[in-house]
Amino acid sequence: MSTRQKSIFREFLDSEASGGIILMAAAALALIVANSPLAPTYFAALKAYVGPLSVSHWINDALMAVFFLLVGLEIKREVLDGQLSTWPRRILPGLAAAGGMAVPALIYAALNWGNAETMRGWAIPTATDIAFALGVLSLLGSRVPASMKVFLTALAIIDDLGAVIIIAIFYTADLQMAYLVGALGVLAILVAMNRFGVRSLLPYLALGVVLWVLVLQSGVHATLAGVALALTIPLRASPALRDDADHSPLHRLEHALHGVVPFVIVPIFGFANAGVSFSGMSTDTLVDPLTLGVAAGLVIGKLVGVFGTSYAAIRLGFADMPANAARMHLLGVSLLCGIGFTMSLFIGLLAFATNATLQDDVKVGILLGSVVAALLGSLVIYLAPRPGGPESREE
């Protein structure tokens, strides 16, 4: 990896890890507020309308489109110019991500089989929250091999790509063809701008706003406009700056968003959506198939899917164990993949958009599963051999 790529990747890890810690605080604050005398004000504020949308919809449809824009930029950069730019680098995190999405979905489906309404949430436990997981890893410091942080980041990026595809295919409302055709027309213009060498960000962002409005009206979830826009942003700098790739539109926009998304947008989303009132809830909620399916999918499904697939690939010779890592490091990181906060909440809101009760059950399942996964993963890594020790080298 080049020095420039290492610098970008280090900045990414640092911002995501720090943002994850802030996200934890925002989620905890939301729970406190939702179960305090401020609860009526909190819930009323989210339902209040500002222009054509409620505050909640502005956060989940508009602010999260910026989050998805950053996700799209990261996916494009990593696939074309980073950790996922070659097949050998893609094999282990790719297989781990596939297993880590399939097994949680199967566990959820097994527990909710026969209930058509709750089966809509099968994709909720498939996603890993990279910010939250890296935030936990940052608290463990030098006990975590650097290679495992790279592995987790690459896995989560592929995981995010899978989540985007799932949202586009399975959580799209009735299509409004006129708006959809308009959105495709704008997208075609953006692609043409890239092909003809437009390197100024302003026209891309201006058309991106138009694209978001059209996608919002089309029935496809508006946040996917962020991903579509990201894929059209040029990765290469202009010919005059050919030797300075950091000046490319994609790198400049990604750098700008790294200061906003993890520290502002994602915590706002967490605060707005993690708040669930425990008043009236009983222990029955914890064993409800929906809640249990989400929690078990995150904790057990991610562990079995990520660790089982990864270790099988390593033992069969399809991939190498990450450098200076032992089985326990891989086991611990596999558990941390069960932290499914941001994307899982987002999919849960889409799956049960008209049922607040089921949304609350989803939130309980996500919070329960994510906390258990974080604690177990941290404990396993804490007990693992120090990176580079004899046990690591034997792997």
Side-chain angles (χ1 to χ4, degrees):
M1 193 189 305
S2 69
T3 302
R4 177 179 62 82
Q5 289 174 323
K6 288 180 180 178
S7 175
I8 293 172
F9 195 68
R10 172 52 55 194
E11 178 185 342
F12 172 80
L13 286 176
D14 290 344
S15 66
E16 290 288 346
S18 302
I21 295 172
I22 294 174
L23 177 58
M24 296 178 202
L29 181 61
L31 284 173
I32 293 171
V33 171
N35 291 278
S36 75
L38 294 173
T41 303
Y42 168 79
F43 290 112
L46 292 174
K47 293 177 182 178
Y49 271 74
V50 179
L53 299 175
S54 68
V55 171
S56 179
H57 279 101
W58 278 117
I59 292 170
N60 296 336
D61 291 350
L63 283 185
M64 287 302 284
V66 181
F67 167 81
F68 275 83
L69 171 59
L70 179 59
V71 168
L73 293 171
E74 289 165 350
I75 290 171
K76 181 173 181 176
R77 174 178 53 78
E78 292 296 338
V79 169
L80 297 181
D81 194 36
Q83 286 299 314
L84 303 173
S85 59
T86 63
W87 281 109
R89 290 179 178 176
R90 296 171 189 163
I91 289 174
L92 187 60
L95 291 174
M101 296 184 81
V103 178
L106 291 173
I107 289 176
Y108 180 95
L111 290 170
N112 287 272
W113 195 259
N115 187 329
E117 185 175 23
T118 59
M119 275 295 288
R120 280 186 54 79
W122 63 269
I124 294 169
T126 63
T128 294
D129 191 302
I130 185 171
F132 231 134
L134 286 175
V136 173
L137 281 186
S138 72
L139 298 176
L140 293 166
S142 62
R143 291 184 174 275
V144 185
S147 62
M148 292 308 301
K149 296 178 183 178
V150 173
F151 168 75
L152 174 60
T153 303
L155 184 158
I157 288 172
I158 297 172
D159 193 290
D160 282 345
L161 176 59
V164 168
I165 293 171
I166 287 172
I167 291 169
I169 296 174
F170 297 101
Y171 296 106
T172 293
D174 294 334
L175 293 177
Q176 301 295 319
M177 293 307 299
Y179 288 107
L180 184 59
V181 170
L184 292 174
V186 172
L187 187 59
I189 295 173
L190 288 163
V191 171
M193 287 167 51
N194 183 313
R195 301 288 288 181
F196 284 103
V198 177
R199 293 296 181 267
S200 171
L201 276 172
L202 185 58
Y204 287 98
L205 297 179
L207 283 174
V209 174
V210 177
L211 179 65
W212 177 81
V213 172
L214 291 170
V215 173
L216 177 68
Q217 298 295 328
S218 73
V220 176
H221 200 273
T223 51
L224 296 181
V227 178
L229 173 62
L231 298 182
T232 68
I233 303 294
L235 178 63
R236 304 302 175 195
S238 64
L241 297 171
R242 185 171 296 171
D243 294 331
D244 190 359
D246 286 345
H247 281 83
S248 75
L250 186 147
H251 287 100
R252 284 188 284 119
L253 182 56
E254 187 179 10
H255 178 77
L257 292 179
H258 271 160
V260 176
V261 171
F263 299 111
V264 179
I265 291 177
V266 172
I268 288 175
F269 173 82
F271 179 74
N273 292 286
V276 55
S277 174
F278 296 126
S279 114
M281 284 191 181
S282 66
T283 53
D284 291 342
T285 302
L286 300 179
V287 294
D288 181 85
L290 172 56
T291 307
L292 197 58
V294 172
L298 289 172
V299 179
I300 301 172
K302 284 291 185 181
L303 171 62
V304 174
V306 174
F307 181 78
T309 305
S310 300
Y311 197 66
I314 292 168
R315 295 294 293 177
L316 293 172
F318 296 141
D320 295 328
M321 177 72 80
N324 297 322
R327 278 190 296 265
M328 286 187 70
H329 293 121
L330 183 60
L331 183 66
V333 168
S334 299
L335 280 163
L336 292 182
C337 287
I339 302 173
F341 194 77
T342 306
M343 198 68 83
S344 293
L345 272 178
F346 190 78
I347 294 174
L349 294 173
L350 295 180
F352 307 116
T354 60
N355 193 320
T357 300
L358 293 184
Q359 286 184 6
D360 284 348
D361 289 346
V362 166
K363 292 175 184 179
V364 173
I366 292 172
L367 291 169
L368 178 62
S370 296
V371 168
V372 171
L375 292 175
L376 291 179
S378 299
L379 178 61
V380 169
I381 292 175
Y382 184 81
L383 296 175
R386 287 282 183 176
E391 296 90 341
S392 301
R393 289 194 293 270
E394 287 174 5
E395 294 294 344

